[in-house]
Amino acid sequence: MFFQSTLECADNGGALESQAYSRADPKRRRATLAAALQILSITTLIVIAMTACANRHVKTSTSVATREVVDEAGRRVQLPLRIDRIVSLAPNLTEIVYAVGAGDSLVGDTEYCDYPEAAKRVAKIGDTMHPSIERIIGLKPQLVLVSTASQLEAFTRQLDEQKIAVYVTNPRSLDEVFHSIETLGDLLGHHDGATSIVAALRLRAAAVEVAIRSVKPLKVFFQVSGEPLYTIGRDAYLTDLVHRAGGVSVTADVPGAFPRFSDEAALAARPEAIILPSGGSMGSTNSTAAAALKNSPAVLNNRVYEINADHLARPGPRLIDGLEEMARALHPEAFK
């Protein structure tokens, strides 16, 4: 019907003109017909353009709105404005998700994610370093949370192909742990919950600081594992935690976060206290000081302390529990 009307308009309007057209010479009729066809072509292009614009409008209106953020590895990440499906690849991130109030959005986590109790009932995607990409994709998450950039290499490309965002956290101090909690709270739509939790955690950290204000710092060796011997280095958030607990890590200047340490260097360090992250989900693993430290002042003076590994190895809300336990172990006199 639209095309028919267009042809009628090209005839310059009506019955009288139609009669004149029929008496015109062939050359004039051909010119008139050409003009009509030209108008028809232009009209057709207009219709096509209008249809394309309408299609583009529908695509825009039905697409998911996104925002760009920069994660703690310096990566630019496109995230939906609203995130309803999350997979966590580390126990500390799982704990943060629940702590800020986003636990209902967690659709997958690792075999090591055992706190809070609800985390045990979430679909498991494998362990922290070797997750099943197929399981992750099958859960259709909008966001995968990763604890360190080292986890990225094996699977980021595959998740990118599925349009699944990956966000990396990598805190190197207690303050950066607080920042991670606040940032994840914002990303997951739980700003108030995250702000409230961090405020309470900061108060507890400040209370420890006040308690140990006048104590003499102890030289501390933090034993990540005894055989082989691993410890904490310059880039570890635990180095900051030892300092806040009234200690000085004897490996604070060693490059890296969790370097392997030689027996000779451990013996030469002569720590006054040894911290053993043990118990919790680790069981009795790492419950004895390494052989290289058996003649250290710490061992000779019976200053070897086991602290719940889950409170130290997971940079999340319960890290404050680890700080309090470590400070009380190193300086019991400050908490009487």
Side-chain angles (χ1 to χ4, degrees):
M1 192 71 181
F2 181 85
F3 291 144
Q4 182 179 353
S5 299
T6 302
L7 283 171
E8 290 172 353
C9 290
D11 199 10
N12 285 327
L16 292 177
E17 195 64 20
S18 178
Q19 294 174 10
Y21 176 80
S22 65
R23 295 193 297 268
D25 58 55
K27 182 181 294 186
R28 182 184 174 190
R29 288 199 299 271
R30 286 195 297 273
T32 303
L33 180 59
L37 291 174
Q38 183 177 14
I39 292 175
L40 176 61
S41 298
I42 294 172
T43 304
T44 302
L45 291 174
I46 291 172
V47 172
I48 292 172
M50 291 173 64
T51 302
C53 289
N55 289 340
R56 283 198 299 271
H57 176 72
V58 170
K59 182 177 181 180
T60 300
S61 63
T62 58
S63 62
V64 177
T66 62
R67 53 186 159 157
E68 183 177 85
V69 299
V70 178
D71 69 13
E72 294 175 21
R75 302 165 55 256
R76 294 186 178 276
V77 183
Q78 292 291 333
L79 296 177
L81 290 180
R82 179 182 175 85
I83 298 173
D84 299 311
R85 298 184 66 82
I86 309 161
V87 166
S88 166
L89 295 188
N92 67 302
L93 297 175
T94 296
E95 294 188 20
I96 291 174
V97 169
Y98 278 102
V100 301
D104 289 344
S105 299
L106 192 68
V107 296
D109 62 19
T110 75
E111 295 170 0
Y112 302 128
C113 296
D114 56 3
Y115 186 90
E117 189 67 25
K120 298 178 181 179
R121 298 188 290 272
V122 175
K124 303 303 175 184
I125 50 78
D127 65 33
T128 301
M129 294 306 297
H130 303 94
S132 168
I133 303 304
E134 292 76 16
R135 291 182 193 173
I136 294 175
I137 293 172
L139 291 170
K140 303 184 185 306
Q142 299 160 293
L143 174 64
V144 174
L145 297 176
V146 178
S147 63
T148 62
S150 63
Q151 285 184 287
L152 286 171
E153 299 174 3
F155 58 83
T156 300
R157 179 181 58 80
Q158 292 166 283
L159 295 181
D160 284 344
E161 291 173 354
Q162 298 294 323
K163 307 300 182 185
I164 298 173
V166 177
Y167 187 92
V168 181
T169 64
N170 190 28
R172 298 184 179 183
S173 68
L174 183 60
D175 281 335
E176 290 186 12
V177 172
F178 293 154
H179 176 72
S180 294
I181 295 172
E182 291 174 327
T183 299
L184 289 179
D186 286 341
L187 294 181
L188 303 179
H190 291 270
H191 171 83
D192 292 346
T195 300
S196 176
I197 288 166
V198 170
L201 296 176
R202 287 189 183 278
L203 284 175
R204 291 170 62 186
V208 172
E209 181 181 357
V210 170
I212 65 167
R213 182 171 294 167
S214 59
V215 303
K216 179 183 177 181
L218 294 176
K219 293 171 59 180
V220 174
F221 183 85
F222 192 104
Q223 180 178 299
V224 175
S225 70
E227 186 59 44
L229 185 59
Y230 277 86
T231 186
I232 58 175
R234 184 172 55 209
D235 298 330
Y237 64 88
L238 289 164
T239 298
D240 177 55
L241 206 71
V242 169
H243 171 73
R244 289 173 178 267
V248 176
S249 172
V250 296
T251 56
D253 295 328
V254 177
F258 300 102
R260 185 166 180 173
F261 211 55
S262 71
D263 291 353
E264 295 77 15
L267 182 61
R270 295 186 59 78
E272 299 171 291
I274 297 173
I275 299 296
L276 302 176
S278 186
S281 58
M282 287 182 62
S284 60
T285 303
N286 198 41
S287 59
T288 305
L293 295 165
K294 66 180 180 180
N295 292 320
S296 67
V299 173
L300 295 176
N301 293 318
N302 198 31
R303 302 212 66 178
V304 179
Y305 306 108
E306 291 184 54
I307 295 177
N308 190 321
D310 293 346
H311 297 168
L312 296 175
R314 302 180 178 188
R318 291 196 293 167
L319 191 61
I320 289 296
D321 294 339
L323 171 63
E324 293 170 341
E325 291 164 18
M326 193 188 308
R328 289 178 180 277
L330 297 178
H331 301 286
E333 71 282 3
F335 293 91
K336 292 180 179 180

